[in-house]
Amino acid sequence: MPAKCLKVLLGPTGVGKTALGIRWAKEWGCPILSCDSRQIYKEMRIGTAAPSLAEQEGVSHYFVGTHSIHHPYTAGRYELEALALLDTLFQTHDRLLMVGGSGLYIDAVCKGMDDFPRADLVLRAQLTERLQTEGLDALRFELKRLDPQSYYEIDIKNPQRVVRALEVCLQTGRAFSSFKSGTHRKRPFEICKTGVCMDKDKLYARIDARVDRMMEEGLLEEAKALLPYRKLPALLTVGYRELFDFLDGKHSLESAIALIKRNTRRYAKRQTSYWRRDSSIQWMEV
């Protein structure tokens, strides 16, 4: 067995990964690498339920509030930066902890990313503009025409995933799915994944309560400050989209909050479905 081990703590949003991860990190005397594709942005602290400053005081956290929404971040970049950091941290730790809910980021570190072409930022901006003006269904339809395999494989409810797949199709003239090799890259450390789950009704109640708590902490004010940048890929995110629509006068604040709760519950369900296909995960119920 390799001397070094990366413990991955994953699970749906709202299940309690942050608190459990901090407890484990304190017991093991190790830092935490966040693998959350939104908590990495410093401008989105409340809406992403990022670990508070008090929580971070007891345990060193990496990839929390370290990047800006104005500089697009990808799973491929996360793979490179996380592996470089792991290489450094393993020099002084035998066990490290990665905590989060972004399946693509977890897979990037544990399995490796395929060699997709570099992002075409001009084309991405054009597609993001189309997303705002034409809606997600129009982009889904085009992806289905250009790459039926990706249409049925990726999370087509996720605007960022659809935009990226369509971007690659238009940029290269090849299907997004054609770049996927399915080859897992070997890592120089052991990987042990633990998934956290709980009764659905209990999880959904926790999600609803957390949204209420976010609103009390100032999520609406955070969304107002980010409104001028709403077309950036990072802000195509549950919690912000609904409040942007409220600020546009499309529905009431009460309706926006209800939609955030509903869409967060749906996201949690998609996360769980994604991971259930991974037989290497050991599940624990809380």
Side-chain angles (χ1 to χ4, degrees):
M1 179 182 295
K4 307 297 183 179
C5 177
L6 174 64
K7 181 80 168 182
V8 182
L9 179 63
L10 57 86
T13 186
V15 79
K17 299 183 297 295
T18 296
L20 181 58
I22 289 172
R23 193 176 82 209
W24 284 3
K26 288 181 177 179
E27 290 175 0
W28 301 341
C30 72
I32 290 176
L33 281 73
S34 169
C35 53
D36 187 297
S37 65
R38 292 299 184 263
Q39 289 183 3
I40 199 167
Y41 295 117
K42 59 186 177 183
E43 299 90 346
M44 301 169 64
R45 183 183 62 82
I46 298 174
T48 61
S52 67
L53 293 177
E55 289 172 321
Q56 294 185 55
E57 280 182 2
V59 175
S60 295
H61 282 69
Y62 295 92
F63 299 107
V64 175
T66 52
H67 294 69
S68 172
I69 59 172
H70 301 288
H71 302 287
Y73 198 80
T74 64
R77 183 176 169 190
Y78 180 78
E79 176 188 5
L80 296 176
E81 293 185 0
L83 288 176
L85 178 60
L86 287 169
D87 185 57
T88 299
L89 293 176
F90 272 134
Q91 294 178 24
T92 52
H93 296 81
D94 289 332
R95 179 162 50 178
L96 294 171
L97 180 61
M98 190 164 74
V99 180
S102 296
L104 193 60
Y105 279 44
I106 293 170
D107 285 347
V109 171
C110 297
K111 303 176 182 178
M113 296 291 292
D114 289 306
D115 295 323
F116 290 100
R118 292 177 63 87
D120 183 329
L121 298 184
V122 174
L123 178 56
R124 180 172 297 179
Q126 293 172 346
L127 290 171
T128 302
E129 177 69 24
R130 286 184 55 194
L131 177 66
Q132 299 293 334
T133 57
E134 301 175 30
L136 182 57
D137 283 343
L139 270 60
R140 285 175 180 163
F141 179 79
E142 186 167 356
L143 179 63
K144 186 176 183 180
R145 179 174 61 84
L146 296 174
D147 185 4
Q149 182 176 339
S150 288
Y151 177 86
Y152 289 108
E153 287 183 349
I154 69 170
D155 178 8
I156 60 169
K157 294 181 180 179
N158 185 318
Q160 191 172 13
R161 299 283 183 267
V162 174
V163 166
R164 177 56 176 154
L166 194 53
E167 173 194 328
V168 170
C169 291
L170 295 174
Q171 176 186 357
T172 65
R174 290 173 51 188
F176 179 76
S177 56
S178 70
F179 289 92
K180 297 180 180 180
S181 67
T183 302
H184 292 183
R185 294 175 183 165
K186 188 171 180 59
R187 303 306 191 197
F189 46 83
E190 182 185 9
I191 297 172
C192 180
K193 300 177 189 174
T194 298
V196 186
C197 60
M198 65 172 51
D199 173 78
K200 182 179 71 173
D201 291 339
K202 181 181 177 182
L203 175 62
Y204 288 0
R206 284 175 58 93
I207 287 172
D208 291 351
R210 190 174 72 168
V211 172
D212 290 334
R213 192 162 57 249
M214 286 177 175
M215 294 302 297
E216 293 170 0
E217 292 173 354
L219 179 57
L220 179 57
E221 288 68 31
E222 187 173 73
K224 286 179 180 178
L226 294 171
L227 184 61
Y229 316 111
R230 63 188 298 172
K231 293 182 181 180
L232 294 177
L235 291 171
L236 302 175
T237 300
V238 174
Y240 298 96
R241 295 198 312 257
E242 297 83 357
L243 289 177
F244 292 156
D245 285 344
F246 159 68
L247 294 170
D248 286 342
K250 293 182 179 178
H251 43 60
S252 67
L253 181 58
E254 182 181 5
S255 296
I257 294 171
L259 286 170
I260 294 172
K261 293 177 179 179
R262 184 200 70 180
N263 293 337
T264 304
R265 293 192 298 265
R266 289 179 175 178
Y267 175 57
K269 183 177 180 180
R270 292 197 302 272
Q271 286 177 297
T272 302
S273 297
Y274 181 89
W275 285 314
R276 288 298 184 187
R277 296 174 292 183
D278 187 343
S279 59
S280 68
I281 298 173
Q282 298 294 316
W283 289 94
M284 59 178 288
E285 187 163 358
V286 294

